[in-house]
Amino acid sequence: MAPVKTTTVKKSKFVIDCSAPANDKIFDAAAFEKFLHDRVKVEGRTNNLGESVVISRTADNKITVVANIAFSKRYLKYLTKKFLKKNQIRDWLRVIATDKQTFELRYFNIANDEADEDE
């Protein structure tokens, strides 16, 4: 009899911190959460989240994605940038990885660039 292989479920949790632009009223966290619900693909199909991927939003405008399957952090960054481009705010915001499990939306440092050009 062949040995039975047990597959371990890789549970990963990612956080997208969009509190700074959401507090300035240029970024809608609820619309971003809906965008992720509509666009995240599981097994090659959208609207197939089920129990394998859970997307939630906290009161301080942080989106949490908990995946019970293999899920790429890079894919979340791709979808975030796609949402920013769709809403025409990609020129003002960028997606920065603050640690291994967290992304943050930050403004470009435009004031520093202008000071360098003057000198």
Side-chain angles (χ1 to χ4, degrees), residues 24-46:
D24 293 340
K25 304 280 192 259
I26 68 162
F27 186 84
D28 187 11
F32 180 53
E33 181 186 14
K34 172 135 180 38
F35 178 83
L36 288 178
H37 274 285
D38 295 341
R39 299 290 175 101
V40 169
K41 287 186 177 182
V42 175
E43 297 175 0
R45 298 175 57 195
T46 58

Side-chain angles (χ1 to χ4, degrees), residues 104-116:
E104 183 179 352
L105 296 181
R106 289 189 188 166
Y107 292 104
F108 282 111
N109 292 333
I110 298 172
N112 292 345
D113 295 339
E114 291 173 359
D116 292 340

Side-chain angles (χ1 to χ4, degrees), residues 8-91:
T8 58
V9 176
K10 172 106 170 111
K11 187 171 184 176
S12 53
K13 178 181 177 183
F14 301 107
V15 177
I16 302 172
D17 183 10
C18 48
S19 56
N23 291 339
D24 293 340
K25 304 280 192 259
I26 68 162
F27 186 84
D28 187 11
F32 180 53
E33 181 186 14
K34 172 135 180 38
F35 178 83
L36 288 178
H37 274 285
D38 295 341
R39 299 290 175 101
V40 169
K41 287 186 177 182
V42 175
E43 297 175 0
R45 298 175 57 195
T46 58
N47 296 327
N48 193 21
L49 295 181
E51 297 295 318
S52 56
V53 178
V54 178
I55 301 170
S56 61
R57 179 172 40 106
T58 60
D60 55 346
N61 293 317
K62 291 185 180 182
I63 308 290
T64 305
V65 179
V66 179
N68 295 328
I69 57 172
F71 198 78
S72 172
K73 183 180 169 190
R74 181 80 184 141
Y75 183 52
L76 275 180
K77 185 172 184 177
Y78 163 75
L79 288 174
T80 304
K81 290 166 83 172
K82 190 170 184 161
F83 178 79
L84 294 175
K85 185 71 172 176
K86 178 183 169 197
N87 290 321
Q88 299 171 348
I89 52 178
R90 176 87 174 91
D91 295 336

Side-chain angles (χ1 to χ4, degrees), residues 1-5:
M1 182 180 266
V4 178
K5 292 184 180 179

